[in-house]
Amino acid sequence: MKSSAKIYDLQDPTAKMSKSSASSAGVIDILDSSDVNVKKIKSAVTDTGKEVRFDEKEKPGISNLLTIHSSLSGKSITELENEFTGKGYGDFKAAVAEVVTSYFAPVREKTNALLADERNLLEILDAGSAKAHAVAADTLAKTYSALGLVPKKL
């Protein structure tokens, strides 16, 4: 069983990344432009020193970025540590930014295309609504029957 990665705020690597964070600067938003997310990653809080290695206690900022990169690229933390041996935080942050923007680009592009075609989007929503209604109607009918209630007319 594959475990989920814990991703922390880019500006406060001891707090969970969340839409409700005090500042949006620490949150990677899938629909933000690549430029915005690159800027957020490059300005992420890091730790003293310049060694790229995983140590949640002593290097929470770099550890968080390693986790993000590993989660999206499929590379292990050890592989990334080895890849960035002798390189500084700037090189590493640029690589993390590239992985993040590449990973989310297809989702952002598809979402923007759907939002740009309002008529098609409304057709998709109507079809989904009809499908959900059909599934819910069957479930509600069974529930009303099981409880001995008279079904509500819609």
Side-chain angles (χ1 to χ4, degrees):
M1 174 192 234
K2 187 175 180 181
S3 65
S4 297
K6 287 186 180 180
I7 305 297
Y8 295 95
D9 191 286
L10 297 174
Q11 294 303 308
D12 179 4
T14 62
K16 182 178 77 168
M17 186 180 288
S18 170
K19 293 185 307 183
S20 61
S21 291
S23 168
S24 65
V27 178
I28 297 171
D29 189 334
I30 295 169
L31 298 182
D32 275 347
S33 72
S34 294
D35 291 342
V36 168
N37 280 329
V38 166
K39 184 176 180 180
K40 287 179 181 183
I41 292 165
K42 286 188 175 183
S43 64
V45 169
T46 51
D47 319 289
T48 58
K50 65 176 190 169
E51 183 183 17
V52 177
R53 78 178 157 80
F54 192 87
D55 182 341
E56 287 180 307
K57 187 172 181 160
E58 299 297 321
K59 300 173 92 48
I62 289 299
S63 296
N64 187 41
L65 292 174
L66 279 163
T67 300
I68 292 169
H69 192 311
S70 175
S71 297
L72 300 181
S73 69
K75 293 181 178 180
S76 72
I77 299 288
T78 304
E79 285 178 277
L80 293 170
E81 289 173 327
N82 292 335
E83 182 178 333
F84 289 94
T85 297
K87 296 180 181 174
Y89 288 168
D91 292 332
F92 178 61
K93 285 182 176 183
V96 174
E98 173 62 31
V99 167
V100 168
T101 57
S102 296
Y103 187 86
F104 291 124
V107 174
R108 187 177 51 256
E109 290 166 10
K110 178 70 173 177
T111 301
N112 288 335
L114 287 169
L115 292 173
D117 187 352
E118 186 176 346
R119 184 176 178 183
N120 183 46
L121 181 58
L122 291 174
E123 288 172 5
I124 292 168
L125 292 172
D126 285 342
S129 174
K131 186 176 179 181
H133 179 70
V135 170
D138 184 46
T139 302
L140 281 173
K142 289 177 183 174
T143 303
Y144 276 93
S145 176
L147 294 173
L149 300 173
V150 176
K152 182 178 175 182
K153 299 282 185 194
L154 297 178

